[in-house]
Amino acid sequence: MKPRSRLPFYIGVFLLIAAGISLAVWRHVELGIPWLTGEQRPVWMIEARIDFDAANSAVQASLNVPEDPPGFRILMEQAASPGYGFSILDKSGNRTAEWTKRDVSGPQTLYFKAQFVPAETVSKNIPSREPSARNVFWEEPQATAVREVLAQASERSSTPESMTRELIRLMQPDARTQNTTLLVSEENYLDLLVDMLNHSGIPARTADGLKLEDARRRQSLKPFLQIYNGEQWLTFDPNTGEQGVPDSLLLWRQGSASLLDVVGGDNSEVSFSMLRQTVPALQLATMEVDSNGLGFLSFYALPIEEQSMFRMLLLLPLGALMVAFMRIVIGIRTSGTFMPVLIAVAFVQTTLVPGLIAFLSVVSIGLMMRGYLSSLNLLLVSRISALIILVIFITAGLSIFGYQMGFNTGMTVTFFPMVIIAWTIERMSILWEEEGAHEVIVQGAGSMFVAICAYLLMSAPLAGHLTFNFPELHFVILGLILLMGQYTGYKLSELKRFTPMKAYD
Amino acid sequence: MGWISPRTLNRLGMLNMNRRNVDYIARYNERSSYPLVDNKLKTKLAVAEYGVKTPRLLQVVRQQHEISGFREMAEDLGGFAIKPAKGSGGKGITVITGRDGDDYIKASGSRLAAGDLERHLTNILAGLYSLAGTPDVAIVESLVESEPTLARFSFQGVPDIRIVVFRGYPVMAMLRLATKASDGKANLHQGAVGVGLDIGTGRSLNAVQFNRPIVLHPDTGHALENIDIDAWDEMLEMAARCYEATGLGYMGVDLVVDAKEGPLLLELNARPGLAIQMANGRGLLPRLRTIERLKRPHFTPRDRANYAMEVFAAL
């Protein structure tokens, strides 16, 4: 008989484990499900407040709201404004929040709240239609000044980006020449910059950004310059020439739409308050599951009742893994192969110490009663059946007794599987009669030890978190158990057992 | 007591539990052959066709109502043994050596009322001693009268000889002697003494009790180093024959030597223990691998026994 090749088996196990791990990593990356429990993610809660005086007529207020701010993702948005009709409109690429009401008078306040999560996703700052530079008409003497400044900047630059940087540098107060002083005044700086860039053939526009600082109120938007370099829109700080969007900056408005329009009111202004919140990363992930194609692989979509059932069920493989390890590699003897797992499951529901006390007392009372049963010389089946009923009486008795005494530990006894306990008692008592108390203690202690180890593993918060949120990790457990089934090495206990063989070495 | 390193165990060729289960039992034992060895009645019938003698079968009790017939049959018997057909590890075996009025005398000298025996039979039928708790049958066999030269080494109980047979080749053997600690049973884990036997000659090598080497029997005080088994090649051939009868590639064959009938097969075991290696002071692996490497296995039990006696005496 030629031994079958084990290679396909090992390849299969390797694939199983690799699939489990890579699926988990993929879901971690894609859905953001955290590896650890209690991981927190920062979330920015930003509130835009619009104030205006209504002029006793119908009012329509529209606020430009961000759609895909670079570096952030919108988690949730909502508006608070009593008596107003509210909707979010998408007008040719610009998202606008619109409040409407008939017959309003007096000062009005409207709120718009949104939660933003920092995200590493590359922002899609690529316009659907190629923007083109608009024509600007300059009057003399500005025209000459503009031409000269642009010529100067263009001489020292090679790309639209460097052109922009140079231009900003030339316009700074400390670098100003006669030409620039002629052009720049306090109010028109940014618009001038945009006009000049457009004039030089680079599409440019303004954007509004919000500097994120925790617990700030009444903040206003800071203007930024954006140019189109032929591929995408790039953001510049108009005062320093620094390129790119800083981490702490949220671009609220991009594009050409105006920030706030109020029809039927005046003195309108918008201000922002912000708050840095932390949200459990897991909650964040579950909130986003629906929107992601990978969501079907998780349990979050199930009803809560089923979810809690699976939470328990998915822990069982860990217990099985522990039993396999203890028996195959360590060599601990237990009474009944998977009895320890079932006891451990009961412990998970009762917590360890009350569960242990309850279990030991049920088994020892049962063993005493079993002593009487064996003197009755019943047939096996009816003896076990009688024992099951006795075990139920014992647990009921303990529960009532415990309740009267004011412990609710008595109640937890009911989590133990009665039939398993009855069989355990039967097996232990036969073992006692045939092999003596020593063997009962060895196997009983072994079972308890494995049950406690399995309990500790199964009740670890991380274990519950990983098994439930990354069910694919069970492939890894399966692979490990399969590998252990092929383990032909010495058990730890055998290294002790075979010690006398030293004499023959 | 310390620890032994896995490397030393490897060097000694010690077979361990996991390797036995994966590489030998699972690979060489057909699942379908198991009922044959797990049921003593089936074993008896199967090996009888291959000329392997077993203790004489007196009665089989299959149904509860047959128990009354048992008493009639037992009337004119001196000694007998009651065994559960599916029992393992000697569980549920009751040996009756004689009568005293209505009572039966056990091997240990204690008395049993007829009612006790009937209850014992009821328990057997209900499956109390069977491997999976399934209903069982009780078999009543004639008593083995242990051969006196061997019997004096044992404290009560009949000494038996365990031979591990791999693909029909007897590879290792030991003599098992009951002790006070083992309660007249020949199970090593209950405290019986295991005496390793040289497969070439049937002479004792060394002895262990509870996995520790000993020189004298703890109860009888006999030295264990000069035991010599008679009719050794006959026993090896018998053991080798069980391979044909059962088809099990890896098994333990338990034999006893009856004073009148000579070697008899007591039972077969599809999962023989590992303690035999400690009794022999040698690991099983080198011998098992020698057999696995054989290009042309021997066909007759006689040839296989001879081959084993020749080759394994040295290993």
Side-chain angles (χ1 to χ4, degrees):
Chain A
M1 205 186 303
K2 198 172 176 294
R4 256 180 305 142
S5 168
R6 295 266 162 84
L7 195 64
F9 170 79
Y10 285 119
I11 292 174
V13 168
F14 172 77
L15 287 179
L16 205 59
I17 292 179
I21 291 177
S22 45
L23 210 55
V25 169
W26 184 37
R27 275 168 25 98
H28 169 73
V29 172
E30 284 292 310
L31 289 182
I33 301 173
W35 291 120
L36 301 174
T37 54
E39 202 173 292
Q40 303 277 319
R41 288 281 164 77
V43 170
W44 286 97
M45 167 70 98
I46 294 174
E47 187 181 76
R49 174 188 165 137
I50 302 160
D51 290 291
F52 62 92
D53 294 323
N56 218 351
S57 67
V59 163
Q60 181 187 7
S62 18
L63 177 73
N64 188 296
V65 293
E67 184 172 17
D68 257 325
F72 291 90
R73 211 170 47 222
I74 298 172
L75 198 59
M76 157 312 274
E77 338 174 84
Q78 70 186 65
S81 26
Y84 277 84
F86 177 78
S87 58
I88 289 183
L89 310 171
D90 209 338
K91 286 184 196 157
S92 59
N94 290 304
R95 284 176 83 233
T96 314
E98 199 167 86
W99 288 263
T100 42
K101 193 176 184 180
R102 209 179 289 280
D103 291 335
V104 209
S105 60
Q108 301 288 316
T109 307
L110 306 173
Y111 293 98
F112 177 81
K113 272 189 200 174
Q115 272 183 323
F116 293 88
V117 198
E120 285 93 38
T121 48
V122 186
S123 65
K124 299 184 291 286
N125 222 350
I126 300 154
S128 53
R129 207 167 35 153
E130 183 94 349
S132 52
R134 101 191 109 84
N135 285 321
V136 186
F137 176 75
W138 303 91
E139 279 179 39
E140 288 297 345
Q142 276 104 326
T144 321
V146 164
R147 219 170 17 246
E148 276 187 30
V149 173
L150 284 179
Q152 208 176 341
S154 128
E155 197 179 314
R156 296 207 207 159
S157 61
S158 54
T159 54
E161 293 96 312
S162 51
M163 172 79 179
T164 312
R165 276 195 302 272
E166 269 317 303
L167 193 59
I168 291 171
R169 210 178 54 76
L170 284 175
M171 307 270 274
Q172 292 311 304
D174 51 346
R176 269 179 206 166
T177 57
Q178 257 187 348
N179 282 330
T180 47
T181 356
L182 174 75
L183 292 166
V184 179
S185 68
E186 270 316 304
E187 302 84 43
N188 72 348
Y189 172 63
L190 188 61
D191 290 332
L192 178 72
L193 212 52
V194 170
D195 285 347
M196 284 172 79
L197 283 167
N198 273 308
H199 185 71
S200 73
I202 301 171
R205 67 185 190 191
T206 58
D208 290 321
L210 198 56
K211 203 163 158 40
L212 296 175
E213 278 174 291
D214 191 15
R216 298 302 290 260
R217 297 174 61 241
R218 296 253 158 203
Q219 299 293 300
S220 54
L221 296 174
K222 210 173 150 228
F224 281 83
L225 172 72
Q226 286 193 321
I227 61 150
Y228 187 77
N229 70 345
E231 286 163 10
Q232 58 178 341
W233 285 101
L234 298 169
T235 309
F236 288 85
D237 186 319
N239 296 316
T240 61
E242 209 172 298
Q243 189 186 337
V245 184
D247 279 347
S248 59
L249 190 84
L250 175 78
L251 282 185
W252 185 273
R253 185 191 64 85
Q254 299 181 78
S256 48
S258 68
L259 181 65
L260 178 67
D261 289 315
V262 177
V263 180
D266 45 27
N267 290 333
S268 67
E269 65 167 351
V270 60
S271 66
F272 294 87
S273 318
M274 59 199 95
L275 203 56
R276 187 178 187 274
Q277 301 171 316
T278 51
V279 168
L282 183 60
Q283 192 187 329
L284 209 60
T286 49
M287 282 164 84
E288 286 170 34
V289 154
D290 302 337
S291 60
N292 200 308
L294 276 172
F296 75 95
L297 269 173
S298 48
F299 291 97
Y300 311 131
L302 291 178
I304 299 294
E305 199 183 331
E306 258 96 293
Q307 282 196 30
S308 59
M309 185 194 72
F310 271 109
R311 234 168 240 284
M312 195 71 228
L313 210 57
L314 289 169
L315 284 174
L316 278 177
L318 283 182
L321 179 72
M322 177 59 84
V323 168
F325 178 77
M326 284 292 178
R327 288 177 62 111
I328 295 172
V329 180
I330 307 290
I332 289 175
R333 267 182 290 165
T334 61
S335 73
T337 312
F338 284 103
M339 205 243 316
V341 183
L342 295 170
I343 297 176
V345 169
F347 284 167
V348 169
Q349 284 161 323
T350 63
T351 71
L352 187 58
V353 177
L356 207 56
I357 294 170
F359 180 78
L360 289 180
S361 44
V362 172
V363 169
S364 42
I365 296 173
L367 270 176
M368 284 190 286
M369 293 191 168
R370 165 67 174 72
Y372 173 68
L373 278 184
S374 79
S375 68
L376 285 179
N377 291 310
L378 298 172
L379 291 174
L380 179 84
V381 180
S382 56
R383 194 169 56 224
I384 303 277
S385 312
L387 209 51
I388 291 174
I389 296 170
L390 280 184
V391 166
I392 290 173
F393 278 160
I394 296 169
T395 50
L398 282 179
S399 293
I400 293 168
F401 179 73
Y403 183 72
Q404 300 289 355
M405 297 288 286
F407 309 116
N408 59 357
T409 51
M411 314 299 279
T412 62
V413 182
T414 48
F415 285 115
F416 287 101
M418 300 299 152
V419 179
I420 300 289
I421 292 194
W423 265 109
T424 303
I425 292 169
E426 175 67 18
R427 206 178 319 210
M428 292 250 177
S429 98
I430 289 180
L431 205 62
W432 197 303
E433 285 168 12
E434 286 174 359
E435 314 258 325
H438 178 74
E439 194 59 26
V440 173
I441 290 168
V442 167
Q443 290 194 10
S447 306
M448 275 297 116
F449 177 72
V450 175
I452 290 172
C453 288
Y455 161 77
L456 290 177
L457 182 65
M458 287 158 74
S459 65
L462 186 62
H465 170 79
L466 289 181
T467 50
F468 184 75
N469 296 302
F470 294 98
E472 59 275 12
L473 286 180
H474 287 93
F475 288 144
V476 180
I477 296 180
L478 180 61
L480 290 179
I481 288 176
L482 290 179
L483 276 185
M484 263 194 262
Q486 292 285 313
Y487 176 69
T488 55
Y490 296 98
K491 298 180 187 191
L492 199 61
S493 61
E494 282 173 331
L495 298 183
K496 190 143 192 80
R497 180 188 172 191
F498 291 144
T499 308
M501 291 302 290
K502 268 183 181 167
Y504 308 106
D505 187 23
Chain B
M1 214 157 104
W3 297 81
I4 189 164
S5 74
R7 201 180 301 133
T8 315
L9 286 178
N10 261 328
R11 193 162 56 234
L12 288 164
M14 288 292 281
L15 179 65
N16 59 13
M17 181 89 74
N18 289 333
R19 189 178 292 278
R20 180 199 72 175
N21 291 345
V22 172
D23 284 350
Y24 294 98
I25 295 183
R27 191 177 299 167
Y28 292 104
N29 287 357
E30 286 288 332
R31 198 67 234 179
S32 57
S33 303
Y34 277 55
L36 207 58
V37 288
D38 289 343
N39 187 328
K40 289 195 184 69
L41 189 57
K42 286 187 181 168
T43 311
K44 275 175 104 71
L45 301 176
V47 298
E49 293 181 27
Y50 288 83
V52 177
K53 281 190 290 182
T54 55
R56 199 150 41 86
L57 184 63
L58 300 175
Q59 196 186 9
V60 181
V61 181
R62 294 174 193 277
Q63 307 283 336
Q64 189 70 23
H65 64 81
E66 290 172 6
I67 292 178
S68 48
F70 160 77
R71 198 189 287 213
E72 285 169 28
M73 189 244 13
E75 280 297 321
D76 25 281
L77 282 178
F80 55 88
I82 300 176
K83 297 176 178 178
K86 295 182 198 164
S88 69
K91 282 177 196 164
I93 296 179
T94 303
V95 177
I96 301 297
T97 52
R99 299 283 300 265
D100 181 23
D102 278 346
D103 289 351
Y104 296 86
I105 314 285
K106 282 217 289 187
S108 59
S110 60
R111 289 156 168 275
L112 272 182
D116 292 334
L117 265 191
E118 283 174 8
R119 196 174 60 238
H120 184 60
L121 285 170
T122 307
N123 276 341
I124 291 176
L125 295 189
L128 181 58
Y129 306 103
S130 74
L131 280 171
T134 51
D136 202 355
V137 299
I139 55 180
V140 185
E141 286 181 341
S142 69
L143 198 62
V144 175
E145 298 274 350
S146 186
E147 205 242 339
T149 50
L150 267 185
R152 67 195 164 94
F153 288 103
S154 183
F155 177 80
Q156 299 175 337
V158 182
D160 73 3
I161 291 161
R162 154 69 58 92
I163 301 173
V164 173
V165 177
F166 179 52
R167 302 175 79 183
Y169 292 85
V171 287
M172 201 173 264
M174 74 169 159
L175 175 67
R176 298 191 297 190
L177 304 170
T179 62
K180 204 177 270 176
S182 76
D183 192 26
K185 296 199 176 97
N187 283 327
L188 255 54
H189 74 271
Q190 287 171 326
V193 169
V195 184
L197 297 174
D198 181 354
I199 206 104
T201 58
R203 268 177 217 283
S204 60
L205 293 164
N206 44 58
V208 289
Q209 185 190 24
F210 286 123
N211 288 338
R212 276 185 283 272
I214 54 168
V215 181
L216 302 176
H217 189 286
D219 304 313
T220 62
H222 280 291
L224 297 169
E225 50 195 352
N226 289 318
I227 305 176
D228 194 357
I229 311 286
D230 293 328
W232 182 241
D233 34 358
E234 189 192 335
M235 294 181 84
L236 289 189
E237 194 189 332
M238 256 177 91
R241 221 171 242 150
C242 293
Y243 175 58
E244 269 90 8
T246 61
L248 281 175
Y250 185 82
M251 65 179 158
V253 177
D254 293 348
L255 302 169
V256 283
V257 187
D258 187 78
K260 296 194 199 87
E261 310 227 13
L264 298 176
L265 174 75
L266 213 52
E267 63 176 310
L268 296 175
N269 195 326
R271 310 164 192 84
L274 304 167
I276 193 170
Q277 303 177 96
M278 313 201 47
N280 276 266
R282 285 161 179 76
L284 269 166
L285 280 178
R287 302 183 184 195
L288 298 177
R289 289 191 176 134
T290 307
I291 304 285
E292 280 185 310
R293 276 198 300 267
L294 272 183
K295 294 236 163 49
R296 284 177 51 192
H298 302 75
F299 284 113
T300 65
R302 182 71 261 161
D303 287 348
R304 292 197 300 261
N306 285 341
Y307 176 82
M309 288 171 78
E310 207 175 296
V311 174
F312 296 145
L315 269 179

